[in-house]
Amino acid sequence: MPINIPSGLPARAILDSERIFALERPEAEQQDLRPLRLLILNLMPKKIETETELLRLISKSPLQVEVDFMKIASHKATHTSRDHLLKFYEPLSEVRDNYYDGFVVTGAPVEHLPFDEVDYWDEFKEILDWASSHAFSTLYLCWGAMGALNYRYGVRKHVLDKKIFGVFPQYLQDEYCFITNGFDEIILQPHSRLASMDEDDIAANPDLQVLTWGEESGPGLIATRDFSEVFALGHWEYGKYTLADEYARDMSKGMTNVPFPKNYYPHDDPSQEPLFAWRAHANLLWRNWLNWGYQTTPYDLGAVPELRANKRLGTDRSIRHAPGSPRRDGYAIFAKDGYGVIQNVRGTNETA
């Protein structure tokens, strides 16, 4: 099934060139079904690039998904044209009476700042309060996940001396979880952040469960017990060259706390093509999340506030795992790799 996007969205041409089937709204409205309604709060500076990355993933679902875009009203975007924002983005005031099957909150390059120093922090909290009764499930990405974990669950953020940057192996924590169903035991996930979330705070909260975890990168995917909120601290939505572009950007700024991207270029050689090693799990995560919403969201979205208030979303997982490997045989992640790409957990390169 196609994704349903606003007419004239620039990402349409890119999706067409990649043979991704997308319908613009007038075409989709001729079909006799209720698509999943999805709202994306795009906090990234380069909004068109982020739109394209997210729509690629959403398009992999067999479901028809109607996508709207939301903006922060209190923040002036400097990397995206005003015309684009006016045409395709709405503030909270314009969508306040709407209900959605899913809500997506992207990251933003502000993780080094205290939350209350982010100029739209108050509006961000207001939007999260609204979403808690108007969206059946919310998927938060990177800083969006950090902000939500802090505001809604009191999880502390720790600013790091050096950026977690590159592609990192993570262990799957529950193979039967709805959100990670079908994942391999070891998953590769891109990370690009100058902060981490307190793992003790996460472990102490009975409403939260860690779904993937890595020795170097910590929790990569966290969720509430009923999957009403899913938190991805990494960037499965990134395209093949996103880390390369970010590295070039950070180097041009003269940043000294950004390491060379780990496990990204073959043999750590930037003259070679980076390996797109996380695409399958990225597609599976989004497909699982959308499918879970399709299976459990009421046909009448007006019922969402009562379901959210009473925590009756159809699934409540009581299984709890401590972060770490589910294996019992002492297996070390990628201790040796024939391509010379993946480093072992102690941070040294070994090639076959």
Side-chain angles (χ1 to χ4, degrees), residues 288-306:
N288 284 348
W289 180 64
L290 291 170
N291 184 54
W292 176 82
Y294 178 76
Q295 299 292 338
T296 57
T297 309
Y299 187 87
D300 179 7
L301 285 174
V304 167
E306 181 181 357

Side-chain angles (χ1 to χ4, degrees), residues 32-296:
D32 188 19
L33 52 82
R34 183 178 87 70
L36 286 179
R37 296 198 67 194
L38 196 65
L39 178 66
I40 298 175
L41 173 60
N42 189 354
L43 302 173
M44 292 295 283
K46 295 184 177 181
K47 300 198 183 303
I48 294 175
E49 288 86 342
T50 303
E51 292 163 12
T52 305
E53 289 175 345
L54 294 177
L55 291 174
R56 281 193 187 107
L57 292 166
I58 295 167
S59 72
K60 299 302 191 297
S61 168
L63 306 170
Q64 185 182 138
V65 182
E66 180 180 301
V67 181
D68 294 327
F69 291 96
M70 186 184 197
K71 64 182 177 182
I72 291 284
S74 57
H75 178 78
K76 183 178 180 181
T78 57
H79 292 79
T80 304
S81 74
R82 183 172 179 271
D83 288 344
H84 183 82
L85 293 174
L86 287 173
K87 186 173 182 180
F88 299 113
Y89 283 73
E90 299 288 356
L92 176 61
S93 60
E94 295 298 318
V95 302
R96 191 179 294 276
D97 295 332
N98 296 349
Y99 296 98
Y100 293 90
D101 298 279
F103 183 42
V104 179
V105 180
T106 73
V110 294
E111 72 271 18
H112 60 291
L113 297 174
F115 289 117
D116 58 6
E117 290 186 15
V118 176
D119 62 2
Y120 49 80
W121 179 241
D122 288 340
E123 184 178 357
F124 179 82
K125 293 187 294 183
E126 181 185 6
I127 290 171
L128 264 56
D129 289 340
W130 167 84
S132 68
S133 60
H134 286 72
F136 193 71
S137 181
T138 300
L139 176 57
Y140 304 95
L141 311 176
C142 200
W143 182 84
M146 296 180 193
L149 283 168
N150 177 263
Y151 175 57
R152 294 185 58 76
Y153 299 96
V155 180
R156 291 167 293 174
K157 182 183 71 171
H158 302 296
V159 177
L160 305 171
D161 294 332
K162 184 178 291 187
K163 193 173 189 177
I164 299 176
F165 192 52
V167 183
F168 297 88
Q170 297 220 317
Y171 273 121
L172 179 65
Q173 299 299 296
D174 183 359
E175 63 181 299
Y176 299 111
C177 169
F178 287 95
I179 302 301
T180 56
N181 187 266
F183 274 37
D184 295 326
E185 286 190 13
I186 295 173
I187 310 106
L188 298 180
Q189 185 184 40
H191 286 259
S192 177
R193 51 188 168 89
L194 275 164
S196 64
M197 302 306 291
D198 193 285
E199 293 190 46
D200 290 336
D201 289 348
I202 296 170
N205 193 314
D207 290 330
L208 300 175
Q209 55 182 326
V210 174
L211 303 182
T212 70
W213 183 89
E215 184 169 331
E216 294 179 85
S217 51
L221 191 64
I222 305 161
T224 56
R225 297 284 160 181
D226 61 1
F227 304 120
S228 61
E229 295 176 289
V230 180
F231 311 88
L233 291 175
H235 284 286
W236 272 307
E237 80 279 7
Y238 271 11
K240 180 175 182 177
Y241 300 102
T242 307
L243 288 172
D245 293 340
E246 288 192 355
Y247 185 65
R249 176 201 67 194
D250 292 348
M251 292 301 97
S252 70
K253 293 179 179 179
M255 296 178 66
T256 59
N257 57 350
V258 179
F260 186 79
K262 196 168 188 177
N263 304 327
Y264 182 52
Y265 291 105
H267 307 285
D268 287 338
D269 181 357
S271 68
Q272 297 192 39
E273 286 279 306
L275 283 176
F276 201 172
W278 60 92
R279 177 167 46 193
H281 283 102
N283 289 328
L284 188 52
L285 169 66
W286 282 77
R287 187 179 301 181
N288 284 348
W289 180 64
L290 291 170
N291 184 54
W292 176 82
Y294 178 76
Q295 299 292 338
T296 57

